[in-house]
Amino acid sequence: MSDETFRPMTRRGVLLGGLAATAMGAAGTLAAAGPSSAGPLVATPTASGSPLADPTSRPHRYFAFDTGIWNGHRGMANCQIEMGSFVKDVDHNPLFREGIFENPRLPWEPRFDNGYPNVFWDPEHKKFRCYYTLFLRDPASLNTSPEKRSGRDYVIANRETGCCYAESTDGVHWTKPKLGLVSFDGSKDNNILFEHAQGTSVLYDPADPDPTRRYKLITLREAGGTSLCVAFSSDGIHFSDLKPWPANSPSPGADCHNLVFRDSRTNEYVLITRLWDSNIRVSAMSRSTDFINWSKPVEVHRGNGFDSQIYSMPVFEYGDLYVGLASLYRDGDTTLPHYDTVDLALQWSINLTEWNNVAPEDSTFIPHGKGMGKYPRGDFDSSVIFSSIPVEIEERLYFYYMGGKGQHTGWRESALGRGYIEKDKFACYGSRTGNRPSSLTSQGFNFFGENVELLVDIEDGGWVKVDLMNQGGTVVQNGFEADNSTLRDRGDGWHQLTWHNSSVMNLNRESFYAMRITMQKAKLWAIQGDLYVRPLKYGKP
């Protein structure tokens, strides 16, 4: 696929020009979080032959942090974005550690380093799978106990990367099976998948009609010529030989988490990887229709100078958005307390090419544990965090992440942990000042059905009221005054919005209407239902 065949999608493109979604995800109560959360797009052909998605063909879900649904100039008062609460599984974390600290000792796991965990639920085999990068050989870590590391410099010498595998039936208790694939010091009794590879990720792709390609692997091979490579498997364990990218698909730096997902809007495979520019790490994207031939990687996101570099950024679809889990590397000024550490921040995009912080001031998603800079003391995730995309378990989104204590380039111990957020509660609008009322005015919405719902938390004594106004948010529509609005609690946080004796289906079906949401002692997380937002007048082509 040439670069010219890819055109960035705007919000208008998402609503009016998206492609049909591919049905993906796991059955039952365990599933990979993704576009199924808000339903698939349905496409019909246009005169030019390209699909045209009907925005009224499915319900939509919009999140409070999405600036595209709000009128930022009119009707916003005493409100601010607040990050949701990430709950760590303190009863079980860490889930597993580097093998040299386990019993029996695993000498091929001296240092996970960043780990780049790739965790998902496999409904076919009824298990959680975890693929992780590590150093199979690191003499310094292998031969120096944590007690003896204090006061010594960590020396990088004779290290060798690889990919290992772990699995679990409950997501809590993990085993590292003896795979019998790779010989390490004369024995194949280990859980090694590949030697001389890093940044490995595996995509479970049940939609592929070829059962031998259901598991798709991509990795950076570091022997026999450095190159991004792909491989395929029918069982997630026994993969084909690594196949280098074709010569006409230039490989990026790729020394990061090389996350691949299938984009439901285009039905293409999307790789989020890394480039370097002016000594700065930046995120890059490549696309493929067959997982073998890839477009030239192009930059899609960068942080802010040395102190906020995008080290890696696994991406997943959620509702009408793409969500990024950006590991931010803190380099530069050695006097800063967070120097040489890695934070985990939440990003969002409508088109994969332009990214935004979820919260303007601080988008930290997974907070560090206690003890930053106190290695070998401190929590297992006190200094470095790299996350996998979420797994949906009932009404929660679980994020499995590799946490590290110790600086990024120094002595470090890493382990797999997990935590969760309540489903859809990434970030919310709340009151900026005390318990005074807050108000928000949306862009115009077109209503194509009766169902309109708000995901809100309302404290005792709190309330939420909604006016329905003209598209400009200046004139309240008769019968849709705030005092006529009612919220009925569904019992799961979502509240059905109606107005006494008035129905949105009696409005002009061709017009758009703004919602003015006023609330006190309440937080708004999301809006969903039979509605879609007005395409922006000055949207990109």
Side-chain angles (χ1 to χ4, degrees), residues 259-277:
L259 189 282
V260 176
F261 67 97
R262 190 196 282 266
D263 189 348
S264 70
R265 302 176 191 176
T266 65
N267 207 28
E268 294 174 308
Y269 299 103
V270 176
L271 166 67
I272 303 297
T273 183
R274 188 172 77 190
L275 300 173
W276 287 78
D277 182 65

Side-chain angles (χ1 to χ4, degrees), residues 425-455:
K425 292 187 175 181
F426 295 100
C428 64
Y429 260 111
S431 173
R432 185 180 294 275
T433 305
N435 290 324
R436 292 171 46 205
S438 303
S439 64
L440 297 152
T441 300
S442 74
Q443 289 286 109
F445 281 104
N446 180 272
F447 299 92
F448 55 88
E450 293 276 8
N451 186 47
V452 180
E453 299 174 347
L454 306 183
L455 182 60

Side-chain angles (χ1 to χ4, degrees), residues 173-464:
H173 303 93
W174 291 80
T175 60
K176 300 174 181 178
K178 297 178 181 179
L179 302 178
L181 298 175
V182 176
S183 178
F184 182 90
D185 290 345
S187 173
K188 292 185 178 181
D189 288 343
N190 57 62
N191 61 321
I192 303 172
L193 276 180
F194 288 98
E195 298 177 287
H196 309 293
Q198 74 155 308
T200 307
S201 69
V202 175
L203 171 66
Y204 174 61
D205 188 13
D208 195 316
D210 183 349
T212 66
R213 290 170 48 101
R214 293 283 167 80
Y215 300 85
K216 296 176 170 62
L217 179 147
I218 192 163
T219 192
L220 180 66
R221 185 185 63 187
E222 297 187 318
T226 300
S227 172
L228 269 176
C229 296
V230 300
F232 303 94
S233 171
S234 61
D235 62 4
I237 299 294
H238 302 88
F239 284 87
S240 60
D241 293 338
L242 295 179
K243 180 180 180 63
W245 274 25
N248 62 351
S249 298
S251 290
D255 51 339
C256 67
H257 191 162
N258 295 295
L259 189 282
V260 176
F261 67 97
R262 190 196 282 266
D263 189 348
S264 70
R265 302 176 191 176
T266 65
N267 207 28
E268 294 174 308
Y269 299 103
V270 176
L271 166 67
I272 303 297
T273 183
R274 188 172 77 190
L275 300 173
W276 287 78
D277 182 65
S278 301
N279 292 327
I280 297 294
R281 299 166 176 85
V282 298
S283 286
M285 178 179 68
S286 178
R287 288 179 175 262
S288 174
T289 58
D290 58 8
F291 211 83
I292 295 174
N293 298 282
W294 294 84
S295 65
K296 179 181 178 181
V298 295
E299 179 184 336
V300 294
H301 191 31
R302 68 171 61 202
N304 186 19
F306 289 113
D307 189 53
S308 181
Q309 301 176 53
I310 308 294
Y311 202 105
S312 70
M313 190 175 68
V315 169
F316 58 100
E317 288 185 88
Y318 202 83
D320 287 314
L321 299 177
Y322 301 97
V323 179
L325 301 168
S327 288
L328 303 179
Y329 180 49
R330 308 299 192 180
D331 204 6
D333 189 342
T334 60
T335 65
L336 294 176
H338 61 235
Y339 168 73
D340 203 21
T341 64
V342 180
D343 296 342
L344 198 288
L346 202 62
Q347 312 282 294
W348 68 275
S349 174
I350 62 171
N351 54 20
L352 286 173
T353 61
E354 297 153 314
W355 289 88
N356 309 272
N357 290 318
V358 166
E361 296 181 1
D362 185 1
S363 291
T364 299
F365 182 57
I366 303 179
H368 286 293
K370 297 179 181 179
M372 179 181 289
K374 296 182 179 180
Y375 180 80
R377 301 186 308 277
D379 293 343
F380 81 98
D381 54 359
S382 58
S383 298
V384 174
I385 296 179
F386 289 86
S387 180
S388 180
I389 64 174
V391 178
E392 184 178 326
I393 305 177
E394 296 177 342
E395 293 303 312
R396 294 174 176 176
L397 298 181
Y398 276 85
F399 294 80
Y400 288 83
Y401 65 96
M402 200 68 79
K405 59 179 177 179
Q407 289 183 317
H408 172 262
T409 58
W411 293 110
R412 192 170 5 143
E413 296 173 44
S414 299
L416 185 75
R418 75 170 190 171
Y420 69 87
I421 62 170
E422 298 297 332
K423 189 177 176 181
D424 302 326
K425 292 187 175 181
F426 295 100
C428 64
Y429 260 111
S431 173
R432 185 180 294 275
T433 305
N435 290 324
R436 292 171 46 205
S438 303
S439 64
L440 297 152
T441 300
S442 74
Q443 289 286 109
F445 281 104
N446 180 272
F447 299 92
F448 55 88
E450 293 276 8
N451 186 47
V452 180
E453 299 174 347
L454 306 183
L455 182 60
V456 288
D457 293 338
I458 305 175
E459 300 177 26
D460 290 342
W463 50 265
V464 177

